[in-house]
Amino acid sequence: MLYFAYGSNLHHFQMKRRCKDSIFLKKINLKDFRLTFRSKYRAADVEPKKNSIVPGALFEISKSDEKKLDVYEDFPILYKKHYFYYYGKKVMTYTMVKKTPFKFPTERYLNVVKRGYKDCKLDSRYLKKALKS
């Protein structure tokens, strides 16, 4: 299956640790969404916003990887699954169930996300914009 990663799951080493069968395919943009950080965990989330984009990574993952991600993402309590189509192929990602106000991420978490942006060769301007929310 195809999985759209953002936040800490962009970090290739961490993603491989979480999902041993995962294969990074390419960087892509999730259109009409914006990146934000929220919840008591100060974790990354995406929310609908017209004319915005969230840079991220497209991974191929196995069913067992999906089950591991479900546990990691605390599905369906903290995150729910969102599906979209990319060139006719169904892609899954996670969005937070409860939309709480913006909370600046911890330095440790932010460093993991920044490393993921480098791993995937993403434009960090979008991350900087999300941090000003």
PDB file of all heavy atoms in Angstrom, residues 88 106 112 126 130:
ATOM      1  N   GLY A  88      -4.127   8.423  -9.580  1.00  0.00           N
ATOM      2  CA  GLY A  88      -5.021   7.282  -9.646  1.00  0.00           C
ATOM      3  C   GLY A  88      -4.766   6.173  -8.633  1.00  0.00           C
ATOM      4  O   GLY A  88      -5.481   5.181  -8.615  1.00  0.00           O
ATOM      5  N   THR A 106       8.608  20.050  20.593  1.00  0.00           N
ATOM      6  CA  THR A 106       9.820  20.005  21.411  1.00  0.00           C
ATOM      7  C   THR A 106      11.035  20.084  20.486  1.00  0.00           C
ATOM      8  O   THR A 106      10.956  19.752  19.301  1.00  0.00           O
ATOM      9  CB  THR A 106       9.905  18.707  22.223  1.00  0.00           C
ATOM     10  OG1 THR A 106      10.003  17.607  21.319  1.00  0.00           O
ATOM     11  CG2 THR A 106       8.714  18.540  23.146  1.00  0.00           C
ATOM     12  N   VAL A 112      14.107  15.851  14.646  1.00  0.00           N
ATOM     13  CA  VAL A 112      13.784  14.642  13.871  1.00  0.00           C
ATOM     14  C   VAL A 112      13.052  15.037  12.585  1.00  0.00           C
ATOM     15  O   VAL A 112      13.358  14.534  11.497  1.00  0.00           O
ATOM     16  CB  VAL A 112      12.945  13.647  14.711  1.00  0.00           C
ATOM     17  CG1 VAL A 112      12.415  12.516  13.852  1.00  0.00           C
ATOM     18  CG2 VAL A 112      13.773  13.103  15.864  1.00  0.00           C
ATOM     19  N   TYR A 126       8.278  25.456   4.020  1.00  0.00           N
ATOM     20  CA  TYR A 126       6.943  25.039   4.465  1.00  0.00           C
ATOM     21  C   TYR A 126       6.952  24.662   5.944  1.00  0.00           C
ATOM     22  O   TYR A 126       5.989  24.915   6.656  1.00  0.00           O
ATOM     23  CB  TYR A 126       6.432  23.877   3.611  1.00  0.00           C
ATOM     24  CG  TYR A 126       6.132  24.305   2.198  1.00  0.00           C
ATOM     25  CD1 TYR A 126       7.077  24.159   1.196  1.00  0.00           C
ATOM     26  CD2 TYR A 126       4.910  24.873   1.874  1.00  0.00           C
ATOM     27  CE1 TYR A 126       6.815  24.565  -0.105  1.00  0.00           C
ATOM     28  CE2 TYR A 126       4.637  25.286   0.580  1.00  0.00           C
ATOM     29  CZ  TYR A 126       5.592  25.133  -0.407  1.00  0.00           C
ATOM     30  OH  TYR A 126       5.322  25.541  -1.689  1.00  0.00           O
ATOM     31  N   ALA A 130       4.894  26.557   8.987  1.00  0.00           N
ATOM     32  CA  ALA A 130       4.050  25.821   9.936  1.00  0.00           C
ATOM     33  C   ALA A 130       4.424  26.154  11.381  1.00  0.00           C
ATOM     34  O   ALA A 130       3.558  26.155  12.260  1.00  0.00           O
ATOM     35  CB  ALA A 130       4.172  24.314   9.696  1.00  0.00           C
TER      36      ALA A 130
END
